[in-house]
């Protein structure tokens, strides 16, 4: 049983007032965006046009990888899993993630085997990954960059997957602007999928982006999002196309990403770090996009938890994942939202 919050708080510790939630958007971009939307409105191209191409080019420049836009994260995830061919196979997934991660594998016809996380970074544990991989022989695995930093064990897990022929897909839903020694999230495994849902570090309302260095996977994803067009309908995709209005917003938002992340990094460093010593500590060379600011002490007026309930509990899977259960019980989030400038 956890102690009541009031018993654990140090009343002497200076704590900044919690920031109110706001969707990351900079009012300086409003006129440009409205202009782009008017142009699209008056054009005869509301889908699959220049703005989609421009959003993909912007995200490609951001990550150094081929980028394929989707109308949400799920489309990109299903496209990657379809390319790998996971039906009837085992896919490893962390449990400390949003249900979207294991469910995408389940919906692709795979059996999900959960692996544990580390307490330090809340992300997948190499030791348990290897344990589960040796036992269950997965064809593919998810790794999730929880909270906006890169999973601390990513290099070891990626090297192991390369050696064993396991496809590694990175859930980058939180990892906009994150890198480790200059490498962006999505560049360690075979593909990465970003989400642009409104709570994310940047948003387009709804939207997703698959990134990959594998041109075959990129081609497959383009066809998959469009009912298999371009493959003679051999690829059994559905409609996950992004519309031009959303893509235009993606272009504007991607240009602003460095400001969002720079502001969050400065706020974390200057304001939050001195007040919250018991927190996730980033290793050398790691840049977090600070989707969340995660601490291991309860806080009042906080932004709750990244996840309250691990996926293996939600899915009633009997896996024993002690670190995942520990993390669910012992982490909290301090609000870190880019304040909307008023024009
Ligand atoms: C880790 C993780 N993966 C996937 C998703 C799903 O993204 P979307 O809402 O764009 O489908 C989310 C949340 O939105 C998430 O937090």
């Amino acid at each position: 049983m956890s102690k009541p919050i009031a018993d654990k708080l140090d009343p002497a510790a200076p704590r900044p007032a919690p920031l109110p939630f706001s969707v990351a958007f900079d009012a300086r971009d409003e006129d440009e965006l409205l202009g782009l939307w008017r142009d699209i409105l008056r054009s005869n191209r509301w889908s699959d046009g220049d703005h989609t191409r421009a959003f993909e080019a912007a995200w490609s420049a951001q990550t150094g990888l081929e980028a394929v836009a989707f109308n949400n994260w799920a489309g990109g995830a299903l496209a990657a899993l379809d390319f790998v061919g996971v039906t009837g196979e085992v896919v490893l997934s962390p449990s400390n993630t949003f249900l979207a991660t294991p469910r995408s594998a389940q919906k692709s016809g795979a059996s999900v085997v959960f692996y544990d996380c580390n307490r330090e970074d809340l992300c997948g544990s190499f030791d348990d990954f290897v344990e589960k991989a040796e036992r269950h022989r997965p064809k593919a695995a998810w790794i999730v960059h929880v909270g906006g930093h890169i999973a601390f064990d990513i290099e070891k897990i990626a090297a192991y997957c390369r050696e064993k022929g396991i496809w590694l897909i990175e859930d980058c839903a939180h990892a906009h602007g994150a890198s480790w020694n200059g490498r962006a999230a999505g560049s360690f495994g075979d593909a990465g999928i970003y989400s642009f849902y409104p709570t994310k570090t940047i948003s387009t309302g709804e939207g997703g982006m698959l990134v990959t260095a594998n041109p075959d996977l990129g081609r497959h994803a383009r066809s998959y999002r469009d009912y298999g067009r371009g493959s003679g309908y051999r690829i059994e995709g559905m409609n996950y196309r992004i519309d031009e209005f959303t893509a235009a917003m993606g272009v504007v938002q991607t240009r602003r990403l460095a400001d969002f992340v720079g502001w969050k990094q400065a706020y974390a460093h200057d304001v939050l770090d001195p007040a919250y010593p018991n927190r996730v500590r980033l290793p050398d060379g790691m840049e977090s996009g600070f989707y969340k600011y995660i601490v291991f002490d309860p806080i009042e007026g906080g932004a709750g938890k990244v996840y309250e309930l691990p996926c293996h509990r939600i899915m009633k899977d009997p896996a024993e994942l002690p670190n995942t259960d520990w993390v669910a019980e012992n982490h909290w989030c301090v609000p870190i939202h880019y304040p909307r400038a008023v024009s």
Side-chain angles (χ1 to χ4, degrees):
M1 257 268 296
S2 59
K3 292 170 78 180
I5 284 179
D7 287 1
K8 288 191 183 175
L9 283 176
D10 171 4
R15 298 248 156 103
L19 290 172
F21 173 73
S22 57
V23 174
F25 184 74
D26 193 304
R28 286 174 289 177
D29 295 328
E30 209 170 283
D31 288 344
E32 184 193 357
L33 181 59
L34 292 175
L36 289 172
W37 281 348
R38 196 174 44 242
D39 292 346
I40 297 166
L41 197 61
R42 292 175 182 175
S43 79
N44 286 313
R45 195 92 198 212
W46 286 14
S47 183
D48 193 26
D50 289 347
H51 296 90
T52 301
R53 246 53 83 212
F55 186 23
E56 290 176 340
W59 209 255
S60 183
Q62 171 63 30
T63 56
L65 298 160
E66 179 180 355
V68 184
F70 284 81
N71 61 356
N72 56 40
W73 178 95
L78 294 175
L81 291 163
D82 189 66
F83 176 77
V84 171
V86 299
T87 305
E89 305 280 349
V90 169
V91 172
L92 299 189
S93 172
S95 174
N96 182 42
T97 179
F98 184 48
L99 197 64
T101 321
R103 182 153 286 169
S104 65
Q106 198 185 39
K107 285 284 177 193
S108 301
S111 313
V112 174
V113 171
F114 287 109
Y115 66 101
D116 210 355
C117 66
N118 299 312
R119 296 183 182 198
E120 296 73 22
D121 66 344
L122 289 74
C123 300
S125 145
F126 174 68
D127 291 343
D128 202 46
F129 188 101
V130 171
E131 228 265 301
K132 299 288 161 58
E134 302 286 317
R135 192 138 41 105
H136 297 281
R137 306 283 166 195
K139 184 158 190 192
W142 277 112
I143 178 119
V144 185
H145 303 301
V146 179
H149 51 266
I150 307 266
F152 292 2
D153 284 350
I154 186 72
E155 286 184 340
K156 285 193 286 183
I157 289 177
Y160 177 82
C161 286
R162 274 194 301 277
E163 187 194 321
K164 301 290 179 183
I166 300 167
W167 294 85
L168 181 63
I169 310 173
E170 297 171 57
D171 183 336
C172 306
H174 300 179
H176 316 74
S179 64
W180 200 356
N181 296 323
R183 289 180 67 181
S187 68
F188 297 88
D190 296 288
I193 329 289
Y194 287 84
S195 162
F196 299 103
Y197 182 71
T199 56
K200 302 299 188 250
T201 306
I202 71 168
S203 178
T204 56
E206 297 286 355
M209 190 73 78
L210 177 148
V211 293
T212 183
N214 180 335
D216 293 335
L217 202 160
R219 241 187 325 275
H220 189 95
R222 277 179 209 289
S223 176
Y224 186 91
R225 76 175 171 192
D226 196 13
Y227 293 116
R229 269 202 189 91
S231 72
Y233 299 100
R234 183 186 52 79
I235 294 169
E236 295 180 7
M238 294 292 283
N239 177 7
Y240 294 102
R241 295 182 301 254
I242 193 169
D243 66 78
E244 283 286 278
F245 298 94
T246 305
M249 188 171 199
V251 173
V252 171
Q253 289 281 68
T254 305
R255 207 180 301 135
R256 193 58 74 187
L257 178 64
D259 286 342
F260 294 146
V261 171
W263 183 91
K264 285 180 166 220
Q265 289 180 340
Y267 183 75
H269 182 265
D270 299 345
V271 179
L272 300 183
D273 286 359
Y276 297 99
N278 192 14
R279 61 178 186 270
V280 169
R281 300 265 176 175
L282 302 176
D284 285 348
M286 171 109 43
E287 298 281 334
S288 175
F290 283 107
Y291 170 56
K292 301 281 186 187
Y293 187 94
I294 300 165
V295 300
F296 299 112
D297 289 320
I299 50 168
E300 271 171 351
K305 305 213 176 202
V306 187
Y307 303 109
E308 294 277 347
L309 203 55
C311 291
H312 75 290
R313 300 267 170 219
I314 296 172
M315 292 170 77
K316 306 205 182 327
D317 185 299
E320 290 198 11
L321 306 171
N323 287 348
T324 299
D325 287 333
W326 183 90
V327 157
E329 184 75 6
N330 290 289
H331 86 282
W332 289 266
C333 298
V334 182
I336 185 162
H337 308 297
Y338 186 82
R340 186 176 307 202
V342 179
S343 56

